[in-house]
Every structure is written in C-alpha cells, then in structure tokens.
Amino acid sequence: MQVKLHHYNLQLKDNFKISRLSFDVKPSLIVELISDGFSGYGEATENAYYHLDTFQIAEDIQRNINFIETLEQVPPDVFWQKLNPLFHDNHFALCALDEAYHDLYTKKLGVKLYEYWKLQPKNLPLTNYTIGIAEIPKMIEKMKVLPWPIYKIKLGTADDIEIIKALRKETNAIFRVDANCGWTVEETIENSRIFKDLGVEFIEQPLKADDWEGCKEVMKHSVLPIIADESCIEEEDVVKCFTHFHGVNIKLMKCGGLTPGLRMIHKAKTLGLKTMVGCMTESTVGISAIAHLLPLLDYVDMDGALLLEKDIATGVAIEFGKTIFANENGTGAKLMCQ
C-alpha cells in the first residue's frame, strides 16, 4: 500500500464567521491510500481551535508512513487500533487515514461503505446549511441565494435575538442555532424560551466546553434541547455529556475517524442521547465519509463542501438537504485534480 498526501487551499464562497474566528480559505490535507489499482481518500483540515495545521498533520503522517504502508491486509477497525497509539496527539491525521482506509478497503471488496456496515440508506436525516455570522442583510442574502429546509445559524453576538427574528421573517425553514461557546448560562436559558417560539429546533454548544456545572444548569431549565459539540471530542466524553446535554454532535476529525465515531454513536444511543455528526469546512472527500453514517443519526451537519467556491472532489451530492450517494463503491469520493 502506498500513502500519498495532497495539499489544497479551499476557497469559500463567502467569509465564514463564528463567535471566535472567521476565515475565507481553509487549508485541507487529502490522504490517498493506493493498493491494487484502487485509491481510498480521507481528509483533515486546518483548525485553529484545536491548534492543528495541515503541515503538522502531514508531518505526523510522514513520520509513520513506513509502518502505515504495511497494514493493507487488515480490517478497518484493526487498522485504526494499530495506528491509534501513534496519533494520540493528532486525531485529525488519524481521521484522514481512517477515512481513506475505509474507502480503500470497501472499494476493494466491491461494496459501498454503508453496505459493509450492513446499514440501509432509508429515512435519512436532512443536512442543514450553515449561515455564518454577518450583518443581518448579508445573512438574509445567503438564505435567498440557497433556499434550504434547515438552516444552522451561527450566533454568539450582542444581537442574537434580533438576528433570529429577522431571519424568521424571510423563511419557514427549521432553524438550529450554534453559539460556539459564546453564551452564558442565563443567556442560554432566556434565549431558549424566545427561540422556541421562533421555530428553533435545538441549541448547539452555548457554553464554554469545560463549563460542566453551567451545562447541567442549562439542561435543567432550557426549553430547547442542548447539543454538545466542543464538549464532546473523544469517546469518553459521550458518557460525561449524558448528564449535561440532550445530544452529542460528533466530529470525525476531533475523535479520530469513522472507527471511534461509530462507537460514539452507538454509545450515545444506548444512553438515550440524540445523535448528530457534524463536519468542518471540508471538501466532498470528508463529506462523503460522513454520509455513510446517516442511517444511525437523528441530525446531520454535512454542508462543508456546499460552502466552497470550488470543490476538489466528487462523491455524495446534496440537493435541498437530501443526500444522494455516488455510484462508486467505498465512500464514493474521488479527487478531481491532483
């Protein structure tokens, strides 16, 4: 098996702003695993919050490349288990490798990934489309450019209530709001009461990731479900979130790929938590991997590639929130340019 790394700068259609940062370009590293004429693809993107850039991710992979290339005969879960000790400080690199190996392994078997997992692509949740923080007229303009059944609205400003009231006048779509750790306990509880009457489905990560006492207070008094994101990074976080949130948003890059992501979903279900998988700003390579988890999810946020000016890959397509799987086996991902 051969490992190839591809660096890209993903240009966004618009500046993307959340409560703590904004950006116009997202660096991405695509991992390609090649064997017997097949290529499997996985992705990791730069993330300042987790202090990782794509060159560090690539460097960690390169350091272990000789060992990685010996593992092509093992099942995906064994592949992950063998690599996990080497990448315990870089789950983004582990995620890209894990996605690529799942893709390669199932392509060689001649099946789609969801078929390998014995899942049925029926009654799948619709993905939301994210509206980043901007002046209200710009946020309205973004909705008009892409009418959608569910919008995730990024908040964490002094004008959050005004934003949701203004956007609600423009559409009957479902709203989800994501404060990205930008609110206090009191704000969250009060906003939940106001937002419930404005057609908001749930609130994602309103408090700082480590404010567990605050999360417990919010969970007691919020009239809307609260979904963990930054508070749910690794597998052990799911149990902790059980008494502090109504559901968890699992990010494959944060937890280390599809292998631990699957375990986290199943654990959340046994605890009665709502299950969601979210994306970073990434290409259709990463989005295609996420899509195969859809039969297990209550909610999904896999709009990352829709935010790009130009994609670098083909794979799953999304039309008005609905996922259309590619004809290709594996995850369906394929690079358009190398």
Side-chain angles (χ1 to χ4, degrees):
M1 182 169 67
Q2 179 187 3
V3 179
K4 289 181 69 174
L5 304 179
H6 307 273
H7 287 271
Y8 295 94
N9 286 316
L10 306 177
Q11 178 68 49
L12 277 68
K13 294 175 184 175
D14 295 290
N15 176 267
F16 189 79
K17 183 178 181 181
I18 63 175
S19 62
R20 58 176 176 260
L21 58 86
S22 68
F23 52 89
D24 301 288
V25 176
K26 177 65 70 170
S28 173
L29 178 73
I30 303 298
V31 172
E32 180 181 6
L33 301 181
I34 305 166
S35 176
D36 298 330
F38 295 92
S39 285
Y41 299 100
E43 183 169 16
T45 58
E46 180 177 289
N47 194 292
Y49 184 79
Y50 296 101
H51 310 294
L52 282 170
D53 62 46
T54 52
F55 294 100
Q56 182 182 345
I57 295 167
E59 182 180 325
D60 286 350
I61 293 173
Q62 289 283 4
R63 188 182 304 115
N64 297 287
I65 203 165
N66 290 336
F67 179 65
I68 295 166
E69 291 182 339
T70 69
L71 297 176
E72 65 177 305
Q73 301 300 328
V74 301
D77 60 331
V78 176
F79 178 84
W80 187 91
Q81 288 166 10
K82 288 183 176 294
L83 290 186
N84 182 44
L86 303 176
F87 292 97
H88 61 276
D89 291 327
N90 193 335
H91 280 181
F92 282 52
L94 185 57
C95 171
L97 287 162
D98 184 65
E99 288 179 354
Y101 193 78
H102 272 89
D103 187 26
L104 175 66
Y105 190 84
T106 48
K107 278 176 177 170
K108 291 173 73 172
L109 286 178
V111 297
K112 292 178 171 57
L113 181 53
Y114 66 74
E115 293 173 328
Y116 174 71
W117 287 333
K118 296 180 171 55
L119 300 176
Q120 295 293 325
K122 298 178 180 178
N123 303 316
L124 304 179
L126 301 180
T127 183
N128 54 235
Y129 181 76
T130 304
I131 305 295
I133 295 172
E135 297 296 324
I136 289 175
K138 180 63 176 178
M139 297 176 80
I140 292 172
E141 178 189 332
K142 289 180 181 180
M143 291 198 312
K144 289 184 175 180
V145 167
L146 191 66
W148 210 253
I150 309 170
Y151 291 107
K152 179 192 276 193
I153 313 299
K154 293 289 190 177
L155 297 177
T157 77
D159 304 310
D160 288 343
I161 294 171
E162 289 74 12
I163 288 171
I164 296 301
K165 285 182 176 178
L167 299 188
R168 174 50 70 212
K169 293 177 182 177
E170 305 295 329
T171 179
N172 292 322
I174 294 169
F175 285 170
R176 298 165 177 172
V177 302
D178 184 359
N180 284 110
C181 311
W183 291 348
T184 65
V185 170
E186 293 74 19
E187 279 180 293
T188 305
I189 295 168
E190 179 61 20
N191 287 350
S192 75
R193 296 172 181 140
I194 296 169
F195 288 165
K196 184 176 182 180
D197 293 334
L198 291 169
V200 171
E201 185 176 27
F202 62 70
I203 297 170
E204 188 176 335
Q205 196 66 47
L207 308 183
K208 286 182 169 46
D210 60 355
D211 186 1
W212 294 101
E213 284 304 311
C215 290
K216 188 175 287 188
E217 188 70 12
V218 164
M219 189 176 175
K220 285 181 186 175
H221 300 289
S222 172
V223 298
L224 288 175
I226 307 295
I227 308 296
D229 182 356
E230 285 87 347
S231 294
C232 188
I233 298 175
E234 300 177 345
E235 293 183 61
E236 56 266 28
D237 295 329
V238 175
V239 172
K240 194 168 187 178
C241 286
F242 170 57
T243 53
H244 297 81
F245 293 90
H246 301 95
V248 290
N249 182 2
I250 297 160
K251 301 278 184 67
L252 300 184
M253 290 185 212
K254 294 192 303 184
C255 71
L258 290 160
T259 299
L262 271 171
R263 293 195 294 258
M264 291 172 76
I265 291 167
H266 289 304
K267 185 62 178 178
K269 284 181 171 295
T270 65
L271 294 171
L273 289 166
K274 291 292 186 181
T275 56
M276 178 178 180
V277 167
C279 65
M280 308 296 192
T281 303
E282 56 196 280
S283 78
T284 290
V285 170
I287 299 302
S288 294
I290 292 170
H292 291 261
L293 296 166
L294 283 170
L296 300 170
L297 305 179
D298 297 299
Y299 316 117
V300 70
D301 172 14
M302 45 182 279
D303 65 343
L306 297 175
L307 303 174
L308 302 180
E309 183 68 39
K310 183 180 179 181
D311 206 342
I312 59 170
T314 57
V316 301
I318 301 172
E319 295 182 0
F320 201 62
K322 182 180 179 180
T323 299
I324 301 166
F325 287 93
N327 292 324
E328 288 82 1
N329 290 321
T331 67
K334 188 164 57 175
L335 282 182
M336 292 190 287
C337 49
Q338 298 190 34

